[in-house]
Amino acid sequence: QRFKHMSQYFDAYRIDHVLGFFRIWEIPTSAVSGLLGQFYPAMPMSIDEIEDFGLPWRDNLYTRPYITDTVLEHVFRKTDIAEVRNKYLMARGDGRYDLRPAYETGRLIAALPPDTNQAIRKGLLKLCTNVLFLEDHRLRGKFHPRINAMNDDVIACLREHDQATFARLHHYFFYERHNDFWRDQAMKKLPVLVQSTDMLPCAEDLGMVPQCVPEVLQALGILSLEIQAMPKAFGVRFGNLTTNPYLSVATCFTHDMPTLRQWWTEDAGRRQAYYNQMLQKDGTAPAELSGWLAEEIISRHLFSPSMLCLLSWQDWMAIDERLRRPAASAERINIPANAHHYWRYRMHLTLDRLLRQDELNNRILSLIRRSER
């Protein structure tokens, strides 16, 4: 009924976080960090499966936070380590520490008095996540590798050979093990949406994208979302716009991300790499995004093979240095992690004034016509 009503006004609709139709991410109520979550539905691994993968099981080492003096030196300031040891930790006698029962979960740490040293609170929360495996919420004796554990201090608890083994196991679990299983989950739900309306379905498929996702989207004729700064290929820094699939929507960034101008100034190394590698320019990238560079980036998106190219108004305005906002920081629409920064952007120019901007309007018109959009 909703689709029937919406179709009176729209030709296409967006499925937010389409990966949720394949699986969702659950975080236990005792935790505050998403790193301690797990996918549901999922097929957690038994101890036998983990050992068959080549990783000898050590429950006490793998499932409890890995805390040593070296870890403390990485996480806390030198001046805070003694207080952390004495107040929040218990020595185990084997060179490791455990969090005291009063502070052993993220929720308990988050509830510490407001006058608690914030650097210590932040470090304690990090210690909570320093585990290799999480027991399944529903199936006792079955385990999930902790997501992204290879980039944390916990990986140091393994020998070099076992670190490589865990990395293979992690990749297998998140990108291979569930392909058929999650495909079946999505095919129970997504066809119902697609078949209930003639509107064009467009999916927001960002995040950890297993192989089954593009296969399902293509089979159902659902457009994917292609963002050059968030390529889906593993280990690739920037996407190649010329290889975008036809069944896709090309855009610079979404409403939950920085605008093009903000992104340009956030990371000097990334900006330089993009300038040289993707824009194929020599020399040093300018610190601020100029109008002509913004126009070139937008042009490349318009000329991509994607069926649709949807660009935010802020990114269109970036091509005119006279009319765009002086401060790029005023362009951001939404910061999901900040409850006090949401949907606050407002156009700073009236429509009447915009209609009189012949130079800008003609540049936009030329870009669209030349790209045959």
Side-chain angles (χ1 to χ4, degrees), residues 24-45 131 133-146 173:
I24 61 173
W25 188 249
E26 292 184 337
I27 304 172
T29 55
S30 61
V32 296
S33 171
L35 290 174
L36 295 178
Q38 54 191 237
F39 281 123
Y40 177 80
M43 298 184 294
M45 302 180 74
V131 297
F133 287 92
L134 303 167
E135 189 167 26
D136 188 83
H137 301 326
R138 297 169 177 82
L139 301 173
R140 308 296 294 179
K142 297 292 187 73
F143 298 89
H144 301 243
R146 205 221 76 192
F173 185 87

Side-chain angles (χ1 to χ4, degrees), residues 33-310:
S33 171
L35 290 174
L36 295 178
Q38 54 191 237
F39 281 123
Y40 177 80
M43 298 184 294
M45 302 180 74
S46 68
I47 292 175
D48 287 343
E49 286 181 289
I50 294 170
E51 291 190 330
D52 287 345
F53 219 92
L55 195 65
W57 183 252
R58 300 169 67 186
D59 184 81
N60 196 35
L61 180 63
Y62 294 165
T63 62
R64 297 186 65 80
Y66 179 68
I67 307 172
T68 65
D69 286 324
T70 301
V71 171
L72 296 180
E73 291 169 3
H74 286 174
V75 174
F76 297 96
R77 298 178 301 199
K78 289 184 178 180
T79 53
D80 292 335
I81 291 178
E83 180 182 351
V84 171
R85 282 200 196 100
N86 296 331
K87 184 174 181 180
Y88 300 101
L89 302 178
M90 300 182 299
R92 291 161 42 107
D94 58 356
R96 292 175 58 194
Y97 300 90
D98 283 331
L99 288 160
R100 293 182 182 274
Y103 316 111
E104 64 182 359
T105 70
R107 195 63 60 187
L108 290 171
I109 295 168
L112 286 170
D115 59 352
T116 302
N117 182 317
Q118 293 304 306
I120 289 180
R121 185 198 302 268
K122 183 178 179 180
L124 292 173
L125 289 171
K126 182 171 177 58
L127 293 184
C128 284
T129 68
N130 216 31
V131 297
L132 274 185
F133 287 92
L134 303 167
E135 189 167 26
D136 188 83
H137 301 326
R138 297 169 177 82
L139 301 173
R140 308 296 294 179
K142 297 292 187 73
F143 298 89
H144 301 243
R146 205 221 76 192
I147 197 167
N148 210 29
M150 294 88 65
N151 297 324
D152 273 353
D153 292 307
V154 65
I155 201 68
C157 76
L158 298 176
R159 296 170 299 179
E160 185 175 346
H161 174 268
D162 290 343
Q163 290 181 17
T165 301
F166 179 82
R168 287 191 297 106
L169 183 149
H170 183 281
H171 185 274
Y172 161 75
F173 185 87
F174 288 109
Y175 293 99
E176 300 175 18
R177 179 179 177 85
H178 295 89
N179 268 328
D180 293 339
F181 179 66
W182 284 337
R183 180 189 297 109
D184 292 343
Q185 298 297 318
M187 292 303 286
K188 294 175 184 176
K189 310 159 193 171
L190 284 174
V192 180
L193 295 184
V194 174
Q195 294 164 11
S196 63
T197 177
D198 290 332
M199 290 189 293
L200 180 67
C202 306
E204 183 264 300
D205 57 334
L206 304 178
M208 292 182 65
V209 184
Q211 183 180 336
C212 60
V213 174
E215 295 172 358
V216 168
L217 298 186
Q218 185 172 11
L220 297 177
I222 301 175
L223 274 61
S224 64
L225 181 62
E226 303 300 327
I227 297 178
Q228 190 175 30
M230 293 184 66
K232 298 183 174 103
F234 183 75
V236 176
R237 193 169 192 181
F238 306 112
N240 184 345
L241 292 172
T242 64
T243 62
N244 282 5
Y246 174 68
L247 291 179
S248 70
V249 176
T251 189
C252 296
F253 298 100
T254 76
H255 58 280
D256 284 333
M257 301 176 186
T259 62
L260 186 56
R261 289 174 65 199
Q262 288 177 300
W263 179 84
W264 187 267
T265 60
E266 280 180 347
D267 185 320
R270 181 182 63 192
R271 174 178 68 236
Q272 187 64 48
Y274 184 82
Y275 185 75
N276 298 140
Q277 298 169 17
M278 307 313 297
L279 298 182
Q280 298 177 314
K281 309 292 184 186
D282 295 327
T284 302
E288 300 289 335
L289 184 69
S290 62
W292 69 268
L293 269 176
E295 184 170 346
E296 179 169 341
I297 293 170
I298 284 177
S299 177
R300 288 170 181 255
H301 281 76
L302 290 169
F303 276 90
S304 75
S306 297
M307 179 193 294
L308 299 180
C309 181
L310 302 179

